[in-house]
Amino acid sequence: DINIYDSSAQIETNMMHKTIEFPSIEIVGAEEVANFINEQIFYEIVPEDFEQYHTGREDIEIQYEVENISNEIISIHFEGYLSYWGSYTGYDKGLNFDLQTGSVISLMDYYTLPDLRRIIDDARKGNEIRIYEEIPENKQEIDDFIQLFDSEEYIERTDIFFLKENCIYFIVPWDEAGRHYFHIELSLDKFDKLQKCAHHFSDSVNR
């Protein structure tokens, strides 16, 4: 049995609004695994200086959605914004955990860089790469996405994708400063190893 509870870290003053929502996972019979997952979520999402007070207006608003749960993987998407003195930065992270070990996973746990380049190239040839949001200059954005697979730097990260409804969503920076993001949608049919892990749905999830 897997139980998911809403948790949050909050601070509210005249000059400060900080709200970070995140899940607390309970796995009956696998408490150590659940605790490991919860620790990783907290330290990834809640910054070390969260409770410190700074001069100037500070706003943080982050929400989450559990996008996929199977017997092997839980996929969580965090989205929101950070603002200090009116300087806005988008916040977008996907975290995916192995429910057997509690470890956060990356694409490199399942695929080599040549494997992923082949998958992405085939999807490009078949016009199967879709931008999830309505944004201009779609061709350029798709080209930028494909270039992320020129090295292992992007695929080594553990916060750049989430799984939802037989699709994988890649989180892609829209500008060099990383202040805005967009999502690339691809069918999980092309990612057979991930698909096998994501599609054995758990019958006992409570929220």
Side-chain angles (χ1 to χ4, degrees):
D1 290 342
I2 300 174
N3 299 305
I4 302 174
Y5 304 98
D6 293 329
S7 298
S8 65
Q10 293 181 311
I11 295 177
E12 197 75 41
T13 70
N14 290 336
M15 294 293 291
M16 186 179 299
H17 166 74
K18 297 183 180 183
T19 300
I20 299 178
E21 299 176 354
F22 53 92
S24 292
I25 312 296
E26 178 185 69
I27 306 175
V28 178
E31 289 77 11
E32 290 186 5
V33 171
N35 289 339
F36 185 34
I37 292 173
N38 291 329
E39 288 174 4
Q40 292 174 92
I41 291 173
F42 184 85
Y43 289 115
E44 178 68 28
I45 302 304
V46 181
E48 291 184 7
D49 64 349
F50 180 80
E51 295 185 355
Q52 293 182 12
Y53 288 78
H54 303 92
T55 58
R57 178 71 188 180
E58 189 172 5
D59 290 281
I60 298 176
E61 189 79 41
I62 298 171
Q63 295 85 36
Y64 80 93
E65 191 67 41
V66 176
E67 302 288 10
N68 187 89
I69 303 178
S70 70
N71 291 330
E72 298 183 47
I73 290 178
I74 182 169
S75 184
I76 310 167
H77 181 211
F78 296 88
E79 199 167 16
Y81 67 88
L82 313 173
S83 179
Y84 180 68
W85 275 114
S87 176
Y88 176 92
T89 300
Y91 188 97
D92 207 326
K93 288 180 181 288
L95 296 179
N96 306 273
F97 294 94
D98 183 326
L99 288 175
Q100 306 306 311
T101 65
S103 299
V104 63
I105 64 176
S106 72
L107 291 172
M108 290 197 70
D109 293 323
Y110 296 87
Y111 303 96
T112 65
L113 182 59
D115 289 338
L116 289 169
R117 287 187 60 87
R118 176 183 51 79
I119 291 171
I120 299 301
D121 288 343
D122 288 347
R124 176 68 178 272
K125 292 175 183 176
N127 293 317
E128 297 173 278
I129 299 177
R130 297 177 295 275
I131 297 179
Y132 192 61
E133 292 80 7
E134 294 184 7
I135 60 176
E137 304 298 336
N138 284 2
K139 183 180 183 302
Q140 182 60 50
E141 304 301 339
I142 290 176
D143 288 343
D144 292 344
F145 166 67
I146 292 172
Q147 289 177 9
L148 292 173
F149 295 87
D150 287 345
S151 71
E152 294 182 345
E153 181 180 356
Y154 182 68
I155 66 173
E156 285 177 338
R157 292 178 54 178
T158 57
D159 62 352
I160 50 90
F161 74 96
F162 59 93
L163 310 176
K164 180 181 179 181
E165 297 176 353
N166 199 39
C167 289
I168 181 170
Y169 292 85
F170 291 93
I171 300 169
V172 183
W174 197 359
D175 51 49
E176 292 184 1
R179 293 183 176 180
H180 301 86
Y181 299 87
F182 65 95
H183 299 153
I184 289 286
E185 178 190 88
L186 279 168
S187 171
L188 267 180
D189 292 341
K190 291 189 167 297
F191 297 82
D192 54 341
K193 296 177 184 177
L194 267 178
Q195 188 181 50
K196 289 177 183 177
C197 296
H199 278 190
H200 296 94
F201 289 107
S202 174
D203 296 324
S204 52
V205 177
N206 301 306
R207 296 197 63 184

